[in-house]
Amino acid sequence: DTAVSQTPKYLVTQMGNDKSIKCEQNLGHDTMYWYKQDSKKFLKIMFSYNNKELIINETVPNRFSPKSPDKAHLNLHINSLELGDSAVYFCASSQERRPRVFGAGTRLSVL
Amino acid sequence: QQPVQSPQAVILREGEDAVINCSSSKALYSVHWYRQKHGEAPVFLMILLKGGEQKGHDKISASFNEKKQQSSLYLTASQLSYSGTYFCGTEIAGSARQLTFGSGTQLTVLP
């Protein structure tokens, strides 16, 4: 059983399209995160939800909208995709301030 | 604020030792260490909490100097499997579960 699962694993799309990435964790953790890793491997926090409530919202374009329907799910919707959005997006979860468990990542390529 | 990691890259022969450093300009609550292999998700190695401790498992250990806001990761008698990018993540005292990652140290172990 995968602890943190993300779908899809690969996403190739045209500029201007809208896409979603889904994340689910079966660890019973209370906090979930979205990180973006660019081509230089820099891991940047985007959002964090604790028990379905948004607690971290970094400087991210409004085109990115997270949604947490319940404690075990955190989805990321991206509107009007741009070339600069190409990156690997990692979902992660943790219990309080304990170690993050990362999903396998979604490799987004915007053409 | 992003912690500063050094060195950016290191190349070793199997059996050699390495030290990776991580420093912050802010008072820290904790330091996390993760390793990421190419094309994979970051994997948790260890966490060090305020209180200045040293932890380790196998031949990988870490220290946390609370006064200097610095942490070091020690890899002794390195193995080929140690190759990857090592990230430190810091939680600032008083922050809302925000783990900010350094830019990473690429470690290559050669036979």
Side-chain angles (χ1 to χ4, degrees):
Chain A
D1 255 3
T2 306
V4 181
S5 57
Q6 287 180 236
T7 52
K9 190 162 182 174
Y10 299 96
L11 195 48
V12 181
T13 188
Q14 300 286 331
M15 260 174 57
N17 284 351
D18 302 339
K19 290 292 175 188
S20 291
I21 307 172
K22 295 187 176 183
C23 179
E24 176 182 0
Q25 55 98 0
N26 63 6
L27 298 165
H29 287 168
D30 63 359
T31 308
M32 295 185 73
Y33 313 83
W34 278 112
Y35 285 88
K36 178 181 178 182
Q37 187 169 46
D38 59 25
S39 55
K40 292 183 180 177
K41 292 207 160 186
F42 178 42
L43 259 174
K44 182 175 162 51
I45 180 74
M46 299 174 71
F47 302 104
S48 174
Y49 270 76
N50 174 246
N51 288 319
K52 300 194 321 177
E53 203 176 312
L54 182 66
I55 57 169
I56 294 172
N57 184 357
E58 285 297 292
T59 311
V60 174
N62 290 339
R63 300 181 293 102
F64 290 80
S65 51
K67 193 165 185 178
S68 182
D70 57 58
K71 218 170 76 161
H73 295 84
L74 179 61
N75 303 323
L76 183 66
H77 188 76
I78 316 169
N79 288 328
S80 304
L81 278 154
E82 299 178 358
L83 293 176
D85 297 332
S86 295
V88 182
Y89 292 84
F90 285 103
C91 176
S93 73
S94 73
Q95 183 62 30
E96 297 176 347
R97 280 178 148 170
R98 298 206 180 105
R100 278 42 168 182
V101 179
F102 286 83
T106 295
R107 282 146 187 83
L108 172 66
S109 297
V110 182
L111 307 175
Chain B
Q1 189 154 3
Q2 187 185 2
V4 177
Q5 267 187 256
S6 63
Q8 280 190 318
V10 59
I11 299 174
L12 301 171
R13 292 278 176 192
E14 235 180 327
E16 291 181 340
D17 301 342
V19 181
I20 300 171
N21 299 304
C22 176
S23 64
S24 172
S25 58
K26 305 269 186 181
L28 296 176
Y29 173 82
S30 70
V31 179
H32 297 217
W33 286 96
Y34 293 78
R35 176 172 61 208
Q36 184 179 28
K37 292 187 181 271
H38 182 68
E40 298 181 8
V43 173
F44 170 75
L45 292 176
M46 63 190 76
I47 183 171
L48 300 107
L49 300 175
K50 193 173 79 164
E53 57 179 296
Q54 185 149 355
K55 275 196 163 185
H57 62 86
D58 200 10
K59 291 172 182 161
I60 300 176
S61 62
S63 63
F64 178 23
N65 186 325
E66 191 182 336
K67 286 182 183 175
K68 291 185 178 180
Q69 311 306 331
Q70 290 174 353
S71 178
S72 294
L73 186 72
Y74 306 95
L75 300 103
T76 57
S78 56
Q79 306 165 15
L80 294 175
S81 61
Y82 286 4
S83 292
T85 302
Y86 289 79
F87 292 96
C88 71
T90 55
E91 277 188 304
I92 293 169
S95 70
R97 308 179 191 210
Q98 184 160 344
L99 188 68
T100 305
F101 286 96
S103 54
T105 295
Q106 191 168 345
L107 182 85
T108 305
V109 181
L110 301 173

